[in-house]
Amino acid sequence: MGMVAVFDVGKTNVKLSAASADGVIVETLSAPNVVRDGPPYRHHDLAALEEWLIDGLSSLADRFDIDAIAPCAHGSGGVLVGPDGAAMPMIDYEQSLPADVENAYPALAGPFSDRGSGIMLGAAHLARQMLWIEMHWPERFHRAQAFLATPQYWAWRLCGVPASEVTSLSAQSHLWSPAGGCPAALVAKRQWQRLIPPLRPAWDRLGRLKPDIANRTGLAPGTRVLCGIHDSSANFYRYQAAGLSDLTVVSTGTWIVALTDREAPDLHVEKPGRTCNADVFGRPVPGMLTMGGREFSAITAGSNGPASREVLERLVRSRALAVPFFGSDDGLFPGAARRGRIEGLSTEDPGARFTLGVLSVALLTAECIEALPAAETVVLDGSFVQDALYGACVAALLPHMRILVSRSTTGTATGAALLASHTIRREPAPLELETPAPLHLPELTEYRACWRARAKTMETHLDRV
C-alpha cells in the first residue's frame, strides 16, 4: 500500500494529513473551517473548502504516493445535494432555528431509543436540518437527490458515488436508530427514504477519484476514495484496530466524547449527555457527550499553560470552582446552559485560570466515564491530554479505574487512515499508551462533591418546578 490522505473536517478547523498504512501521520496541513453569516443562514463555505482540499491534495501528491483518501468529520454536519453539488448551503449546527421548525421538531423526533441522543442545541441533528430545509425551501428539498453526512459528502465530491455510513448516521443525526440498527421512524414518517443512500462500510472503496480531480491534483486516477467515518468513531476504531476491547475511549476537543464497547442494559433510557452511537461494524456503542472544549476556553479566557500542581492544590483547598455551563448546551446538567460562573478565584492569580480549566474538564470527563458501563480500560485521548495534569486529575477522581493516556494528537486521523488497510490487516495496529503520574490529593473527593452540587442547583430547581 501507498500513503493515505485523511481529510478531517472539524467544527472549527480542517486538516489534511498524509499517513502511512499503519496510521503514522507524516505531514498535516490545516486551515480554519470558514463559516459565512448568510444568506440564507449561517453556513460553511463548501466552495472555498473544496479549493483548499484540491490544493492540499496536489501538495501532498508532490511528496507522497497517495493510494487512498479517507474523509472523516464531526457529527451533526450534512449537505443536501443535487446532481452537480450542494442543493443548499451546509448549515452551521450552532445556527438557531426558526420558531416553526423549533416547535415542530420535538413531536417528530421520536423516543430516545430511536434518536440515540437528546435533542441538542441549535441546528444539531441532520434530521432537524432536513426538516428546516423541507419546511422553508420545499422546491429545492423535493428536487434534491440525497442528504449526505459530511464524510460521505466529501467522498461523493471526490468520486461521484453517494453513500451513507453507520458511524456518521449514528452521531446524533436522529435519522438512524443505533440500538435498532435501522433507520429512525422519522425517515419513513417524512418519506425521506429516497434521500438516504444505501449504507456502505466506512472502509469501503466507493470509487476512483474523478478524472478532473486526478488531473488537478496530480494523484493517480486509480486513487481509492473510501466511504469515510465520524471523527470520534475513527478514534475509537483506532483502538479496536489495535486489538483492544472492554474499553472506554474519551476523545477530547470541542466536545468531550466518551464511547464504550460495553453493553448498557438501559440504553433505551434518556439521560443527560447520554448517546447511543455505533462502531464501524454497526454495533451499538453507549456514549456520553458534553461540550468540554467550549467550557475550557471560557474558563481559561486566553491564559496559557501548563497547569500547575501547586496551583491545583490551592484551588481545591480553597474551593475555587468553575460551575458549568458557559455554553449554550445543557450538557450533563439540565438547565445549566449559559449559567456558568467562576467562584472563589482570586483575580491576582492569572495562571490559576488555566489550571482551573484543566481541573474543570477533568471533572466533566469523570462524570462522563462514570455514567457509562464500567470497562476494564479507559483511554484518554485528544487535545486535553497534552497537559499532563489532565490525565492525573481524571485518574485521581476515578481511583478505582484503570486510566491510560495516549499522548498522540492524531487519533482521529490515525483511525481514519487505518480504514484503508482494514480488509488486509493481519496484525494489531501499533499503539502507545501511558499511565498518568499519580496525583495524591485527598481533598479532591470533597471538591468534586461541592462542584457537582453547584452544577446541579438549576437541575434541582427545575425538578421542583
Side-chain angles (χ1 to χ4, degrees), residues 9-63:
V9 183
K11 177 65 173 65
T12 307
N13 297 291
V14 293
K15 298 177 182 179
L16 181 64
S17 301
S20 63
D22 58 357
V24 176
I25 307 303
V26 178
E27 181 179 336
T28 298
L29 312 173
S30 63
N33 192 355
V34 176
V35 174
R36 305 296 182 192
D37 286 334
Y41 41 67
R42 198 164 66 241
H43 61 274
H44 291 278
D45 192 337
L46 294 175
L49 186 51
E50 186 163 328
E51 287 301 311
W52 182 85
L53 172 60
I54 297 299
D55 289 345
L57 288 172
S58 178
S59 177
L60 293 184
D62 288 340
R63 294 182 296 283

Side-chain angles (χ1 to χ4, degrees), residues 86-112:
M88 289 291 292
M90 178 181 174
I91 299 170
D92 173 6
Y93 71 70
E94 293 185 273
Q95 163 75 55
S96 298
L97 292 169
D100 58 342
V101 181
E102 186 81 54
N103 294 334
Y105 188 73
L108 296 171
F112 179 79

Side-chain angles (χ1 to χ4, degrees), residues 279-305:
D279 66 11
V280 292
F281 308 103
R283 298 177 297 216
V285 174
M288 290 293 294
L289 184 66
T290 193
M291 219 168 191
R294 295 290 169 84
E295 289 297 292
F296 182 78
S297 296
I299 296 165
T300 57
S303 61
N304 296 318

Side-chain angles (χ1 to χ4, degrees), residues 70-423:
C72 62
H74 64 86
S76 297
V79 186
L80 184 73
V81 304
D84 301 317
M88 289 291 292
M90 178 181 174
I91 299 170
D92 173 6
Y93 71 70
E94 293 185 273
Q95 163 75 55
S96 298
L97 292 169
D100 58 342
V101 181
E102 186 81 54
N103 294 334
Y105 188 73
L108 296 171
F112 179 79
S113 59
D114 218 26
R115 292 183 265 115
S117 81
I119 296 177
M120 296 161 58
L121 76 165
H125 317 305
L126 304 191
R128 190 151 52 176
Q129 296 170 23
M130 292 176 73
L131 182 65
W132 183 5
I133 297 172
E134 183 181 41
M135 290 175 66
H136 284 247
W137 296 274
E139 291 186 6
R140 293 196 189 187
F141 188 84
H142 291 298
R143 288 200 307 265
Q145 295 184 344
F147 195 96
L148 303 176
T150 309
Q152 288 70 55
Y153 169 78
W154 288 109
W156 173 72
R157 290 299 293 167
L158 292 171
C159 74
V161 179
S164 296
E165 187 274 327
V166 70
T167 68
S168 301
L169 287 184
S170 296
Q172 63 273 347
S173 78
H174 290 185
L175 297 170
W176 185 261
S177 169
C182 61
L186 172 65
V187 173
K189 187 184 301 183
R190 301 298 298 185
Q191 297 183 344
W192 289 347
Q193 299 97 320
R194 69 178 186 86
L195 294 173
I196 312 297
L199 283 179
R200 300 278 293 270
W203 59 82
D204 227 12
R205 184 180 102 165
L206 294 188
R208 296 182 175 187
L209 205 59
K210 289 178 179 177
D212 65 313
I213 294 179
N215 290 335
R216 292 175 63 189
T217 59
L219 291 169
T223 301
R224 296 179 293 153
V225 179
L226 306 186
C227 185
I229 188 171
H230 169 236
D231 55 5
S232 295
S233 302
N235 195 35
F236 193 76
Y237 172 70
R238 172 195 182 193
Y239 295 97
Q240 291 178 311
L244 296 188
S245 60
D246 199 351
L247 172 72
T248 294
V249 176
V250 183
S251 302
T252 61
T254 301
W255 294 86
I256 295 172
V257 184
L259 300 175
T260 184
D261 60 2
R262 299 286 292 167
E263 292 185 4
D266 63 343
L267 197 54
H268 62 288
V269 179
E270 184 167 2
K271 296 180 181 179
R274 169 175 273 190
T275 65
C276 180
N277 290 55
D279 66 11
V280 292
F281 308 103
R283 298 177 297 216
V285 174
M288 290 293 294
L289 184 66
T290 193
M291 219 168 191
R294 295 290 169 84
E295 289 297 292
F296 182 78
S297 296
I299 296 165
T300 57
S303 61
N304 296 318
S308 159
R309 287 199 179 212
E310 179 183 350
V311 173
L312 175 73
E313 292 178 6
R314 189 163 68 247
L315 293 173
V316 169
R317 288 170 180 149
S318 67
R319 299 287 175 87
L321 296 166
V323 182
F325 281 97
F326 291 86
S328 56
D329 187 57
D330 278 346
L332 309 180
F333 303 107
R338 296 190 180 91
R339 297 179 181 272
R341 61 196 183 276
I342 294 177
E343 300 178 352
L345 185 67
S346 170
T347 56
E348 299 176 0
D349 195 353
R353 289 196 72 123
F354 189 90
T355 301
L356 182 61
V358 171
L359 175 57
S360 298
V361 294
L363 287 162
L364 290 173
T365 300
E367 293 292 310
C368 288
I369 294 169
E370 286 199 321
L372 293 172
E376 179 182 2
T377 302
V378 176
V379 179
L380 308 179
D381 194 300
S383 59
F384 293 168
V385 301
Q386 298 314 298
D387 193 292
L389 206 53
Y390 167 74
C393 283
V394 174
L397 289 163
L398 304 173
H400 55 292
M401 293 187 174
R402 181 189 183 214
I403 306 293
L404 299 175
V405 169
S406 169
R407 298 292 179 202
S408 169
T409 59
T410 64
T412 294
T414 293
L418 288 169
L419 292 172
S421 59
H422 178 85
T423 59

